[in-house]
Amino acid sequence: MLQSGSKIVKPAGEQPDAFEQSISQALIELELNSDLRAQLRELWISGAKEIDVGSGKKAIIIFVPVPQLKSFQKLQIRLVRELEKKFSGKYVVFLAKRRMLPKPTRKLRSKSKQKRPRSRTLTSVHENILEDLVYPAEIVGKRIRVKLDGARLIKVHLDKSQQTNIEHKVDTFAAVYKKLTGKHVTFEFPEPYL
């Protein structure tokens, strides 16, 4: 429920914690003091989390509703820059708050009348998290390497044109993805194939 003077909407009955309130307050200040006022007025977040990405660095994950993701992505470069200034020394990442539905079984079938949409599968949600994470860069290729002990390593090839913008953040992206999905991922910027 959206409270007056707040930019955070939680599911019914949940209260935002102090960290989420601070993120909400920072977005309100940005809306009031910058030229982003018109675009930020209709936008809100659904949650925030702070994680440790190693070497003393922290990352802030801001969850937004899926329908508003495109609107946030239009402003994302400027929003990230402003929020990283405000929360100095912390990386800021925007992700859509996606829901996974369990795999249908014989026992569970009676509960849900509809077939599970592809967008609610574990694989689809994990792929979409990866795409949200690396925005504004595009994923141009992906390789999955299975080691002899069964461990999987995902190599993600990103668009070479965005290398200067996000190269310093790839360790943060890998740590955030590992924290959210439990999968190891590495990012590369290969030369384009002709």
Side-chain angles (χ1 to χ4, degrees):
M1 210 165 116
L2 185 66
Q3 296 146 352
S4 61
S6 177
K7 295 292 278 180
I8 186 163
V9 176
K10 300 288 275 183
E14 287 186 38
Q15 290 297 320
D17 59 23
F19 179 69
E20 290 173 335
Q21 287 287 6
S22 68
I23 299 289
S24 171
Q25 193 59 40
L27 286 171
I28 290 171
E29 289 170 13
L30 273 178
E31 183 181 338
L32 296 175
N33 301 332
S34 71
D35 56 340
L36 298 172
R37 175 179 292 206
Q39 295 103 326
L40 276 176
R41 181 170 289 139
E42 301 89 36
L43 301 178
W44 60 85
I45 64 172
S46 57
K49 192 189 285 189
E50 186 176 35
I51 66 161
D52 186 37
V53 294
S55 67
K57 287 279 192 184
K58 298 235 183 231
I60 297 172
I61 307 169
I62 299 175
F63 294 102
V64 300
V66 178
Q68 292 187 352
L69 181 66
K70 288 281 185 241
S71 303
F72 267 104
Q73 285 180 342
K74 288 176 187 168
L75 311 169
Q76 184 166 340
I77 296 170
R78 292 179 64 199
L79 270 178
V80 166
R81 191 180 317 123
E82 294 295 326
L83 288 171
E84 283 178 353
K85 271 190 236 170
K86 196 172 282 285
F87 299 99
S88 58
K90 296 179 183 176
Y91 292 116
V92 176
V93 180
F94 283 92
L95 295 177
K97 183 81 172 167
R98 291 191 165 84
R99 176 172 294 156
M100 279 183 263
L101 293 177
K103 197 171 184 177
T105 60
R106 288 193 174 123
K107 293 176 185 173
L108 189 68
R109 194 167 304 192
S110 61
K111 265 187 203 171
S112 61
K113 303 275 188 263
Q114 295 178 326
K115 190 173 186 287
R116 176 176 67 155
R118 289 268 185 237
S119 64
R120 304 287 195 282
T121 62
L122 178 123
T123 307
S124 173
V125 169
H126 285 186
E127 285 176 3
N128 287 327
I129 287 173
L130 195 57
E131 286 175 16
D132 294 351
L133 203 55
V134 299
Y135 188 84
E138 278 185 35
I139 297 174
V140 293
K142 198 189 296 187
R143 307 282 183 271
I144 300 175
R145 180 168 180 222
V146 182
K147 297 182 181 174
L148 286 173
D149 64 349
R152 288 174 171 236
L153 176 68
I154 303 170
K155 291 183 180 179
V156 177
H157 298 173
L158 299 175
D159 189 12
K160 187 88 170 155
S161 64
Q162 292 289 333
Q163 184 171 3
T164 55
N165 296 344
I166 64 166
E167 190 171 29
H168 62 283
K169 288 186 177 183
V170 292
D171 296 333
T172 303
F173 293 161
V176 168
Y177 192 71
K178 170 77 173 140
K179 181 79 172 174
L180 293 175
T181 65
K183 296 179 179 177
H184 292 282
V185 67
T186 59
F187 296 96
E188 299 173 354
F189 296 93
E191 293 296 331
Y193 301 113
L194 297 175

